[in-house]
Amino acid sequence: MNEEKRNDSLPAGFERGTDGPKVIVVGVDGSDTSWRAAAYAAGLARRQHALLALVYVQPVLIGGAALGAPVVEMTEEVAEELLAEIRETTERLRGVHEVRWEFHTFRGDPYSGLVRTADELKADAVVVGASEQAGHRIVGSVAVRLVKAGRWPVTVVP
């Protein structure tokens, strides 16, 4: 009699190769660490055939507005530059590495923006770059706040 070997530790309905993330959210802001995070997330998305959602949250700079600085135009310009760079990279890699991606941008707090996007897209993972600002070691970075939220696996890329 030929018995089928079965691994009882796997839940019923589990299929090997289909258990990876389907939506990966990555925060980008133009910093070196955010580009490394985007590259890491893109590789993961490519290997898992997942959707890569790149998110730029335009900061609301209340002090800048009081000084008369064109803050809105400046943050929209950064968003446009990020999108142009993402499109250029995607075009350059077309045919070599195919990744499904979306670009999301809006104004507000980076933590809240990433949480909102991850919730709306039902993200399976969130990837961010390590903070390069010294004050974040004391107050807490976006990455630390995301980990403390405990709602998704969070990868922090140095």
Side-chain angles (χ1 to χ4, degrees):
M1 183 175 190
N2 190 4
E3 282 188 50
E4 240 182 274
K5 287 187 180 179
R6 187 172 161 213
N7 186 345
D8 289 328
S9 66
L10 296 177
F14 176 85
E15 291 183 45
R16 194 170 303 280
T18 61
D19 57 337
K22 296 300 175 200
V23 178
I24 300 167
V25 169
V26 60
V28 292
D29 62 7
S31 67
D32 288 343
T33 59
S34 80
W35 286 125
R36 286 193 293 272
Y40 176 87
L44 183 60
R46 179 184 55 78
R47 289 186 299 279
Q48 296 292 331
H49 305 288
L51 172 66
L52 177 64
L54 297 119
V55 180
Y56 170 60
V57 181
Q58 301 173 33
V60 176
L61 304 173
I62 297 167
L67 296 172
V71 175
V72 173
E73 290 87 3
M74 182 179 71
T75 59
E76 286 178 358
E77 185 177 309
V78 170
E80 289 171 14
E81 288 173 9
L82 290 170
L83 181 57
E85 179 125 3
I86 293 164
R87 283 187 175 144
E88 177 185 314
T89 302
T90 302
E91 193 57 39
R92 192 173 61 241
L93 296 175
R94 187 173 305 284
V96 178
H97 299 294
E98 298 293 330
V99 176
R100 291 182 307 124
W101 62 275
E102 299 175 350
F103 182 72
H104 301 262
T105 185
F106 41 86
R107 287 187 184 77
D109 167 57
Y111 167 78
S112 299
L114 287 167
V115 167
R116 184 174 106 194
T117 305
D119 282 345
E120 287 176 2
L121 296 176
K122 296 180 177 42
D124 298 299
V126 177
V127 180
V128 292
S131 177
E132 295 178 330
Q133 297 180 4
H136 285 174
R137 290 188 177 93
I138 299 164
V139 178
S141 66
V142 171
V144 169
R145 292 171 66 194
L146 288 166
V147 170
K148 285 182 178 181
R151 291 158 67 179
W152 322 267
V154 177
T155 302
V156 182
V157 178

